[in-house]
Amino acid sequence: MTDTNFAGFKIKGLRIKHNLPSISVANSLDITPTYLSLIESGKKKPSSKVLKKAATLFNVPIEEFEESEQLLSDFAELSKKIDFSNIIAVLEMTNKRNSDLT
C-alpha cells in the first residue's frame, strides 16, 4: 500500500456512504469503536485482517483500499488550487445526486 492512511480514510468514506454507525462497523470488523476511530482518522494503520473484513463488509475488492501516489499527488495539487471546503461540498453534492438517481 502506498499510503498508510488511505485505507482508514477509505473505510470511513464507505461507512458514511453506506450510512452505517461506527459501532456496527467496528463490530463487523472485530475491533473496538475507539480503534476504528483511530483507523478512520489516519492515526492507526488497519491490519490486513481488518482490510479483508472491510472488503467483505462493503462488498469491494481489497484493492479498493490501495491508492496510487499519482492520485494522491493529483488531489494534493487540486487542493492547492481550490479551497478544501469547496472540494468537500462538490463531492457531497455529487454523492447526493448519484443517490437521488438510484
Side-chain angles (χ1 to χ4, degrees):
M1 184 166 303
T2 57
D3 186 275
T4 59
N5 297 324
F6 184 80
F9 297 134
K10 185 70 178 190
I11 289 172
K12 183 176 184 177
L14 288 167
R15 178 178 64 77
I16 291 168
K17 177 181 177 181
H18 292 276
N19 199 28
L20 294 171
S22 58
I23 191 147
S24 172
V25 172
N27 288 337
S28 295
L29 301 179
D30 292 325
I31 59 176
T32 66
T34 301
Y35 191 62
L36 176 62
S37 176
L38 292 171
I39 290 171
E40 289 185 346
S41 66
K43 294 178 183 168
K44 294 286 184 179
K45 181 180 177 183
S47 68
S48 60
K49 180 180 172 182
V50 168
L51 289 178
K52 287 176 188 173
K53 288 182 179 186
T56 300
L57 174 65
F58 297 114
N59 196 29
V60 297
I62 191 84
E63 295 80 18
E64 186 79 12
F65 299 103
E66 298 176 6
E67 214 40 78
S68 72
E69 286 297 326
Q70 184 61 50
L71 180 64
L72 296 173
S73 294
D74 290 348
F75 268 96
E77 281 301 311
L78 181 62
S79 68
K80 290 177 188 175
K81 298 173 186 172
I82 301 173
D83 183 75
F84 193 68
S85 62
N86 288 337
I87 294 171
I88 292 171
V90 168
L91 291 172
E92 289 289 335
M93 289 176 0
T94 303
N95 188 43
K96 181 169 179 7
R97 283 184 187 163
N98 289 341
S99 295
D100 290 346
L101 295 174
T102 57

